[in-house]
Amino acid sequence: MVISIEEDKLREIISDELKKRAVKPELVTAKQVAEMLQIGVTTVYELKSAGKIPASLSTLGRTNRWVRKEILDWIDAGSPNRQKWEAIKSCR
C-alpha cells in the first residue's frame, strides 16, 4: 500500500520536525552578564536603562534574560550603544 502525502502537508511536517530539533539560544541572567563584562549587577541594570547594552528579554514577569551569543557579539563589535547595535544587527 502506498500512502500519498500532499506536498504542502509534507513541507509542514518537515518544518515542524525541524522546529522541534532547533537549538534554542542560551539565555543568561543579569549576574552572568555582569560576570561576562566584569562589572556589578547594578551596573548592568543601569546600562540597560541608559540604552548602552543590548535589550534584554522579559521572561517570567519582571525577570530579565539576555541571549548569550548576542552579548558576546556585542562585545566583539566594540560594545556600541543599543541604537547603534540594533542598526548593526539589522545589516547582518
Side-chain angles (χ1 to χ4, degrees):
M1 179 174 152
V2 176
I3 298 174
S4 175
I5 299 177
E6 292 180 24
E7 191 172 324
D8 289 342
K9 183 65 179 170
L10 183 58
R11 281 191 184 120
E12 182 181 333
I13 292 168
I14 291 171
S15 176
D16 289 345
E17 187 60 33
L18 290 174
K19 287 176 187 173
K20 288 178 193 173
R21 295 180 184 190
V23 176
K24 293 186 170 102
E26 181 183 356
L27 300 179
V28 292
T29 64
K31 181 179 178 183
Q32 291 169 309
V33 171
E35 290 169 359
M36 293 166 73
L37 300 176
Q38 298 180 350
I39 59 176
V41 175
T42 301
T43 306
V44 170
Y45 286 113
E46 289 170 351
L47 293 173
K48 176 184 177 269
S49 294
K52 294 186 177 182
I53 63 174
S56 64
L57 307 172
S58 292
T59 59
L60 304 174
R62 295 176 52 203
T63 304
N64 291 287
R65 296 287 187 267
W66 285 262
V67 177
R68 180 180 191 78
K69 183 172 180 347
E70 182 173 11
I71 295 296
L72 294 173
D73 290 346
W74 172 76
I75 293 167
D76 287 344
S79 308
N81 67 39
R82 186 177 305 138
Q83 185 177 6
K84 186 171 181 182
W85 173 243
E86 293 298 326
I88 291 168
K89 283 191 336 182
S90 69
C91 293
R92 289 184 174 186

